[in-house]
């Protein structure tokens, strides 16, 4: 039996075991400790198989598994759904990079198209699963007792044919006679819905893990191989320089206008535009974020087209791209300034915090573009951009966004500013200790609503499933339980919140100020 066959015959039962384990662990919600535990089981299986079969590049399999595990641990650390979403996204990207490392190229030299190829191949492998098995290359072990196996296979096939017929005729006969119906029900006291649910989840996880391991160890062929290249279009420097120059002029005009407001005060905005400072900030922030986000692919595309250009064309492109980067830096600064003004006027929300974090990543990527692509070193750009994204997501985990939002908004309430108590009490468990400590500083109405909401949402449940253990939720349950007597004394009847008080937003995110 060849090496591929031995490896496949070990992957298949491991995938089944991981499928059963996934059904047992990940069935419990909300997710917490179960996510890093199952992830650790998958990673450990991959590392053990790579060492056991002496897979080339086993050390890459080990160290590339670390970010996957670290971001999976975020599910047991933070309760914020937004943070967990970003952790899941980081896990998917890290898994794609991990699986792509088996194709022979070094990760730090991957281009943008290589990263997209890795994401596509991993997605296809997860969907295709065991269908990716190269059956012609695998030597399956012979079944002992050929004649007996033939009869067993025929019997199993006959049973499969009989089952739907028994269900049809049995159901009709049960409907025809109550006594027969009761007898069959007593004999077949089986929860078919539960069996179907467990079987579906087990097959799903086993199928996905099998496809991932087959791709990781190079047994299955990737959907898009590294040898498949995209031919560059035949565009010259004139076709690239004209649009870049015109965009530079457009950005210059915009930046000249923005410089007045960046260093001015609210009266300058109000007298010039007729808008309040908050309206001015909200009106342009997301448009500026979109501009910065779209400009980066444009520069990458221009560099890709001119990758083989002569030195003169390269210098022209570098000059125009450099000017655009400087102008984008001012636009990014303007967007961050607008968001800062908006936060000063109306406080902090998840939407405002995460878009600011996204702009921070955009700024870092633009700086990295100037250091790498603009200087003729295109290959490290994609890896650096991915690492910057990982760093921003890791920083969000450390920062504890919901606790920060609660602190900023309760500090504003202490200073006499408006406080949206319904939004604050809809934040995740991560915000509960901060809200509880700030409770005495709120006015009487907000205090009674916050106390009632904290008791309603975070009174410890009687039955706790260890699989859903989460540090944020555990802390919230503990502090609310310790303060339950005080909260009960403060709590009042809470009215049903209006549509303005939706999770993840506040009225100031959508309403127009006077």
């Amino acid at each position: 039996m060849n090496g591929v066959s031995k490896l496949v015959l070990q992957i298949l039962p491991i995938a089944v075991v991981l499928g059963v384990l996934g059904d047992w662990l990940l069935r419990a919600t909300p997710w917490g400790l179960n996510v890093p535990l199952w992830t650790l089981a998958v990673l450990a299986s991959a590392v053990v198989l790579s060492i056991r079969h002496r897979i080339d590049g086993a050390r890459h399999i080990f160290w590339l598994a670390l970010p996957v595990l670290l971001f999976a641990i975020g599910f047991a650390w933070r309760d914020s759904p937004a943070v967990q979403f970003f952790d899941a996204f980081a896990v998917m990207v890290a898994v794609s990079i991990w699986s792509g490392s088996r194709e022979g190229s070094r990760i730090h030299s991957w281009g943008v198209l290589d990263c997209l190829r890795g994401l596509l191949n991993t997605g296809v492998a997860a969907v295709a699963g065991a269908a990716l098995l190269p059956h012609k290359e695998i030597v399956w072990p012979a079944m002992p007792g050929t004649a007996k196996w033939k009869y067993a296979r025929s019997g199993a096939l006959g049973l499969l044919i009989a089952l739907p017929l028994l269900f049809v005729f049995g159901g009709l006969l049960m409907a025809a006679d109550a006594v027969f119906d009761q007898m069959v029900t007593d004999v077949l006291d089986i929860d078919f819905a539960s069996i179907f649910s467990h079987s579906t989840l087990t097959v799903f996880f086993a199928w996905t893990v099998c496809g991932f391991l087959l791709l990781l160890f190079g047994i299955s062929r990737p959907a898009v191989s590294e040898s498949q290249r995209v031919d560059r279009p035949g565009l010259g420097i004139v076709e690239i320089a004209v649009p870049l120059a015109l965009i530079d002029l457009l950005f210059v005009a915009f930046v000249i206008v923005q410089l007045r407001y960046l260093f001015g005060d609210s009266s300058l905005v109000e007298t010039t535009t007729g808008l309040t400072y908050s309206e001015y900030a909200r009106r342009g922030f997301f448009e500026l974020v979109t501009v910065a986000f779209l400009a980066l692919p444009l520069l990458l595309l221009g560099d890709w087209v001119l990758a083989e250009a002569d030195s003169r064309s390269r210098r022209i492109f570098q000059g125009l791209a450099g000017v655009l980067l400087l102008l984008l830096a001012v636009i990014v600064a303007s967007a961050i300034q607008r968001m800062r003004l908006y936060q000063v006027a109306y406080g902090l929300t998840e939407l405002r915090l995460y878009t600011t974090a996204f702009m921070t990543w955009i700024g870092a990527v633009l700086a990295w573009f100037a250091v790498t692509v603009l200087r003729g070193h295109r290959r490290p750009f994609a890896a650096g951009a991915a690492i910057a994204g990982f760093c921003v997501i890791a920083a969000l985990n450390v920062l504890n966004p919901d606790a920060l939002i609660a602190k900023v908004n309760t500090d504003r309430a202490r200073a006499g500013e408006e406080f949206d108590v319904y939004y604050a009490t809809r934040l995740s468990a991560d915000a509960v200790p901060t809200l509880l400590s700030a409770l005495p500083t709120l006015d009487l109405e907000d205090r009674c609503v916050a106390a009632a909401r904290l008791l309603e949402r975070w009174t410890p449940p009687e039955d706790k499933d260890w699989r859903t253990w989460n540090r944020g939720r555990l802390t919230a349950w503990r502090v609310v339980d310790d303060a339950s007597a005080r909260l009960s004394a403060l709590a009042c009847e809470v009215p049903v919140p209006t549509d303005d008080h939706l999770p993840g937003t506040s009225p100031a995110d959508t309403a127009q100020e006077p």
Side-chain angles (χ1 to χ4, degrees), residues 108-160:
H108 64 78
S109 65
W110 272 22
V112 176
L113 292 179
D114 295 315
C115 293
L116 294 176
R117 173 176 50 81
L119 287 169
L120 177 62
N121 288 337
T122 305
V124 171
V127 173
L132 296 175
L133 282 171
H135 296 280
K136 295 181 179 180
E137 300 176 15
I138 301 175
V139 179
W140 300 97
M143 293 294 178
T146 305
K148 293 181 179 179
W149 170 248
K150 180 179 179 181
Y151 287 121
R153 184 178 61 183
S154 300
L157 181 59
L159 182 61
L160 288 175

Side-chain angles (χ1 to χ4, degrees), residues 89-112:
F89 178 76
V91 166
M92 289 189 293
V93 173
V95 165
S96 300
I97 296 174
W98 186 24
S99 61
S101 67
R102 291 292 303 129
E103 293 189 48
S105 61
R106 296 185 178 182
I107 300 300
H108 64 78
S109 65
W110 272 22
V112 176

